[in-house]
Amino acid sequence: LKAGGAYVPLDPAYPSPRLNQVLADAAPRLLLCDAAGRAALGPEVLTGVTVVDLETATPGWAELPASNPDPRALGLTSRHLAYVIYTSGSTGTPKGVMVEHASTVNLLHWSSGVFADSEISRTLFSTSISFDLSVYECFVPLSQGSTLYLVEDALALAQTPLDVSLINTVPSAIAALVDRQAVPASTSVINSCGERLKADLIERVFDSSGVEKICNLYAPSETTTYSTWICMPRGEAVVETIGRPIANTRIYLLDAHGQPVPFGAVGELYIGGAGVARGYLNRPELTAERFIASPFVEGDRLYKTGDLARYLPDGNLEFLGRNDDQVKIRGF
């Protein structure tokens, strides 16, 4: 990242055909690989790409300076790519979402402004690197000088409790932790994301643990991990909404003609602002279809999510399901 390279995550737990499909589409210049990665990919794939072996006695970067490269000397800007992450492909061919540094930095700055240092200080990193929740779990604590605890998955806490302050995971994993009475006593915040969060689960967490607040977060990968959120502190009303936009993010509910619907009416959810990705790698036609120029803010772009929502009287967004089954938005 500091040298201006964009990373493409490959989880060796994924099926080899899926990994090979991503490699063929992304065509990376370098592959950082260990024994598990080599086994997952197979020898045929490794012949067509420059491989940096992470397990050699003398790593490939041993002779390079320890100091950071100068971004100005390299000509780097915030518009350079930070990563390309692939969608699940459950509705077709996986699509590589291109996310720039500026979009990721916006997410990190927003998080540092809404969570106290003590809440982020010990963050659980349990999501697969091929899933964009990992961007939040990895880079939020690292960018704030905090500690991250890297585990296979959140359910590992049932076997080995850790001194974590924040858990960022899907509701199904949260429910399993509650069932096993495995939410660490040190946990003050749980971020729920990737699936619909039900009120009864929120209440179960508060009843069975010392968690002080539960936050519900929503966004497709195409708008950089999270675009809306709501936080529910212990003792306050529990609601089933996806909240309001995070910093520098715009939400529009539009009808079939691209016009805003009346307050309280159902519309398709479009997302604009700093989190909108550059587009899909090697998919210019699909990029043009889903990433459109905003008719509301000059120079802004909107991502067409395919999700339906409406505003509640308190100004929060209620998620209502899919509008277009051909578009895959994770979790909802």
Side-chain angles (χ1 to χ4, degrees):
L1 289 171
K2 290 179 177 180
Y7 75 88
V8 180
L10 296 171
D11 188 335
Y14 277 35
S16 294
R18 159 77 182 208
L19 296 177
N20 295 341
Q21 189 177 37
V22 169
L23 269 181
D25 186 62
R29 297 185 180 183
L30 292 173
L31 180 66
L32 307 182
C33 201
D34 59 10
R38 289 178 180 275
L41 292 170
E44 298 82 7
V45 175
L46 298 175
T47 58
V49 62
T50 301
V51 178
V52 176
D53 192 336
L54 299 175
E55 297 178 322
T56 58
T58 304
W61 55 87
E63 302 303 320
L64 296 178
S67 58
N68 290 330
D70 182 353
R72 291 167 297 181
L74 294 174
L76 302 179
T77 74
S78 62
R79 294 301 311 274
H80 276 75
L81 284 183
Y83 62 87
V84 178
I85 205 156
Y86 279 75
T87 61
S88 66
S90 60
T91 59
T93 304
K95 302 179 290 291
V97 180
M98 299 185 289
V99 178
E100 298 175 351
H101 280 264
S103 297
T104 313
V105 168
N106 184 71
L107 175 74
L108 303 186
H109 273 287
W110 163 78
S111 181
S112 67
V114 298
F115 291 105
D117 289 347
S118 60
E119 294 172 330
I120 297 291
S121 61
R122 303 175 313 283
T123 298
L124 186 71
F125 185 3
S126 62
T127 301
S128 165
I129 58 170
S130 290
F131 196 19
D132 69 334
L133 302 190
S134 66
V135 175
Y136 184 91
E137 294 172 18
C138 179
F139 294 112
V140 162
L142 290 182
S143 67
Q144 295 184 214
S146 300
T147 301
L148 59 84
Y149 288 82
L150 183 61
V151 300
E152 284 289 331
D153 59 65
L155 295 184
L157 294 176
Q159 287 77 43
T160 308
L162 297 173
D163 180 33
V164 297
S165 59
L166 184 143
I167 297 174
N168 184 82
T169 192
V170 294
S172 54
I174 297 169
L177 288 175
V178 172
D179 290 341
R180 301 178 189 190
Q181 298 182 323
V183 177
S186 57
T187 304
S188 60
V189 180
I190 290 182
N191 284 348
S192 171
C193 32
E195 299 168 359
R196 192 187 295 268
L197 177 63
K198 298 290 188 179
D200 64 334
L201 177 56
I202 300 171
E203 292 167 350
R204 288 176 60 207
V205 171
F206 284 139
D207 289 342
S208 63
S209 73
V211 170
E212 290 300 322
K213 60 185 179 183
I214 298 175
C215 305
N216 191 28
L217 303 107
Y218 159 86
S221 301
E222 288 86 344
T223 58
T224 313
T225 309
Y226 301 134
S227 293
T228 73
W229 82 306
I230 184 170
C231 217
M232 291 161 280
R234 176 182 291 275
E236 296 190 11
V238 170
V239 293
E240 292 185 9
T241 83
I242 57 173
R244 305 183 185 209
I246 72 166
N248 302 310
T249 298
R250 305 178 185 93
I251 299 294
Y252 303 91
L253 299 182
L254 307 181
D255 62 20
H257 304 288
Q259 297 300 309
V261 300
F263 189 86
V266 177
E268 184 170 349
L269 200 155
Y270 287 70
I271 302 174
V276 177
R278 182 185 295 181
Y280 296 119
L281 181 66
N282 302 325
R283 304 286 291 276
E285 293 182 358
L286 188 60
T287 296
E289 177 185 341
R290 295 298 173 190
F291 296 84
I292 64 173
S294 172
F296 310 109
V297 177
E298 185 177 356
D300 195 21
R301 294 162 64 244
L302 304 181
Y303 175 68
K304 174 183 172 70
T305 69
D307 287 340
L308 296 176
R310 67 181 172 191
Y311 279 107
L312 298 173
D314 63 3
N316 287 311
L317 285 160
E318 180 184 17
F319 178 84
L320 297 171
R322 301 292 300 132
N323 185 42
D324 180 357
D325 290 335
Q326 299 305 308
V327 183
K328 174 63 178 176
I329 304 299
R330 64 168 168 74
F332 293 88

